[in-house]
Amino acid sequence: MEFSSRFVLLILLSTTAVVLAYTEESIETQDLLIRQVVPESSSSNQLDDLILNAEHHFSNFVKEFGKVYADIEEHAYRLKVFKKNLLRAKRHQKFDPSAVHGITKFSDLTPREFKRNYLGLRRKLDLPSDANQAPILPTKDLPTDFDWRDHGAVTGVKNQGTCGSCWSFSATGALEGANFLATGKLVSLSEQQLVDCDHVVRNRSFLICDAESPSSCDAGCGGGLMTSAFEYTLKAGGLEKEEDYPYTGKDRGPCKFDKTKIAASVSNFSVVSLDEEQIAANLVQHGPLAVGINAAWMQTYIGGVSCPYICTHRLNHGVLLVGYGSAGHAPLRMKDVPYWIIKNSWGESWGEKGYYKICRGHNACGVDSMVSSVAAIHTTPAKP
């Protein structure tokens, strides 16, 4: 009888975990101004006050983020969504206590709207034939902490807007770092070139992807894959500077690539092992890495090290891995948490000035599952 009871309890706990993971994936749902839902020292009364006075906080939210709605009906609907997201952020805080969750600029969006407009990783794309498996690197003397921002290899945080082009920002970020290592110069590269051109035939000289096979094509604001972007850049000859081919956040426009304005070129690209030590070694040796992640916990993220108890590995967002740390403060876990440093593409008004920290050692939210490295063509080597 005792064994039977324990077995039933185990089944119930397992089912609960599955339901929670499914809910996060499928339920419709400028700074750190706005209060987090569960501050580190807050009482339950303060939390209840935030939720009970949702309309007041919604007014502050609208002013802070410059929200404009079409009419009274739209305003009422967004308030309803906002209230649901307060409860959702409360749930996130409970299951991700080492991070801070609360009201963000995405708090008036359902999860479906958020996914459609701000993600965009097409994980079902075929891996390009030009992609190599990265060689195994030594890991014995890796630094305890490392951040490419401290070495000049990372451009400022960009904003993809309401376009599912995260993959292009991840790809340009990796090539910007690789180009810095190859030339000693940090140049901001064009995401819009990838959005406009990474699915077309140029001068009928080569085919970027097979138009008859959607599984091989990036699709602008409709999503893409970083390795596919590297393959396009390799075949096209390179990417222009952002200032020469500026970002509009819109697709379906004509490709305006000018080969005479190429600012960085790809020599090769590789898929990195899922092993975290190998990821760290490739990061240190080859520069920032293009990474896929599940963004289920990012809509409500404000700061801290995100290490959710439950997170599916179904990848849906492309980001840039720029560094790692050994000891992220996690007061509710009563210990320090090692973490990855992620550069996102939602502007500096999200997260920690545009950055996201996620714990290392657990493949949290699939962060170790899709990692790629790119090398740029060398001209003048960078100083060590």
Side-chain angles (χ1 to χ4, degrees):
M1 186 69 177
E2 182 180 353
F3 171 80
S4 178
S5 299
R6 289 180 178 177
F7 179 77
V8 170
L9 178 60
L10 180 60
I11 293 297
L12 287 173
L13 288 172
S14 300
T15 302
T16 300
V18 171
V19 169
L20 283 168
Y22 174 80
T23 298
E24 285 303 322
E25 185 66 17
S26 63
I27 190 174
E28 289 239 31
T29 40
Q30 284 170 348
D31 52 22
L32 303 184
L33 111 102
I34 308 193
R35 297 164 53 188
Q36 65 195 58
V37 169
V38 185
E40 291 176 10
S41 60
S42 71
S43 66
S44 59
N45 288 336
Q46 289 174 309
L47 175 58
D48 291 340
D49 175 72
L50 181 63
I51 295 174
L52 288 172
N53 293 286
E55 294 189 19
H56 168 71
H57 294 288
F58 182 66
S59 295
N60 290 340
F61 163 81
V62 169
K63 293 176 183 177
E64 177 66 20
F65 294 111
K67 300 286 182 173
V68 178
Y69 304 123
D71 49 38
I72 295 176
E73 288 74 17
E74 173 72 4
H75 186 279
Y77 174 70
R78 292 303 163 187
L79 173 58
K80 181 179 178 181
V81 172
F82 180 83
K83 290 178 178 179
K84 287 184 178 180
N85 280 329
L86 281 181
L87 295 174
R88 188 161 172 258
K90 176 183 177 182
R91 184 168 68 250
H92 280 191
Q93 188 67 70
K94 180 178 180 181
F95 287 97
D96 188 17
S98 56
V100 176
H101 290 273
I103 301 169
T104 71
K105 64 180 182 179
F106 302 123
S107 292
D108 60 346
L109 301 177
T110 67
R112 179 173 295 181
E113 291 171 324
F114 172 70
K115 180 179 180 181
R116 181 177 67 244
N117 293 324
Y118 294 97
L119 305 184
L121 186 71
R122 299 185 70 195
R123 56 191 170 85
K124 293 183 179 180
L125 286 178
D126 296 334
L127 187 67
S129 57
D130 293 331
N132 302 308
Q133 186 68 40
I136 300 301
L137 299 176
T139 60
K140 182 179 179 181
D141 297 320
L142 287 175
T144 303
D145 299 88
F146 189 83
D147 189 338
W148 273 114
R149 291 176 295 179
D150 297 335
H151 302 274
V154 184
T155 59
V157 173
K158 304 179 184 182
N159 194 339
Q160 70 188 71
T162 55
C163 170
S165 56
C166 59
W167 58 276
S168 67
F169 287 83
S170 176
T172 57
L175 185 54
E176 286 166 353
N179 188 60
F180 172 80
L181 291 177
T183 68
K185 299 178 181 179
L186 182 63
V187 179
S188 182
L189 300 175
S190 174
E191 292 80 22
Q192 193 64 41
Q193 180 184 336
L194 292 172
V195 170
D196 288 346
C197 308
D198 183 11
H199 53 270
V200 298
V201 180
R202 275 192 51 79
N203 299 326
R204 301 189 181 278
S205 59
F206 63 84
L207 185 65
I208 299 304
C209 69
D210 182 359
E212 300 300 319
S213 176
S215 64
S216 69
C217 298
D218 289 327
C221 292
L225 196 63
M226 290 78 79
T227 47
S228 298
F230 295 149
E231 182 181 42
Y232 158 78
T233 307
L234 181 64
K235 290 182 176 180
L239 293 180
E240 294 185 41
K241 293 180 181 179
E242 181 139 33
E243 63 185 51
D244 291 332
Y245 202 144
Y247 186 69
T248 65
K250 299 178 181 179
D251 60 4
R252 298 185 180 84
C255 175
K256 299 181 287 291
F257 171 46
D258 183 346
K259 203 164 187 175
T260 66
K261 295 182 179 180
I262 288 176
S265 300
V266 169
S267 62
N268 62 75
F269 59 100
S270 305
V271 177
V272 180
S273 163
L274 274 63
D275 178 78
E276 290 205 342
E277 289 297 296
Q278 283 301 308
I279 294 173
N282 274 272
L283 174 72
V284 171
Q285 182 164 324
H286 299 305
L289 304 175
V291 173
I293 197 171
N294 181 276
W297 298 80
M298 296 174 71
Q299 185 177 356
T300 62
Y301 174 82
I302 291 178
V305 178
S306 182
C307 195
Y309 297 137
I310 301 168
C311 188
T312 176
H313 292 176
R314 185 175 297 174
L315 309 179
N316 55 20
H317 188 43
V319 291
L320 186 70
L321 178 61
V322 302
Y324 59 83
S326 59
H329 187 48
L332 295 182
R333 289 177 181 257
M334 303 301 291
K335 63 179 181 180
D336 287 330
V337 178
Y339 58 90
W340 296 116
I341 304 170
I342 299 291
K343 180 187 179 185
N344 201 5
S345 52
W346 297 338
E348 292 188 359
S349 63
W350 175 87
E352 295 190 352
K353 295 185 178 179
Y355 282 82
Y356 182 52
K357 292 177 182 175
I358 189 164
C359 62
R360 296 171 60 195
H362 309 285
N363 191 21
C365 299
V367 68
D368 304 332
S369 303
M370 182 189 286
V371 182
S372 53
S373 170
V374 64
I377 292 178
H378 287 66
T379 54
T380 303
K383 295 181 181 180

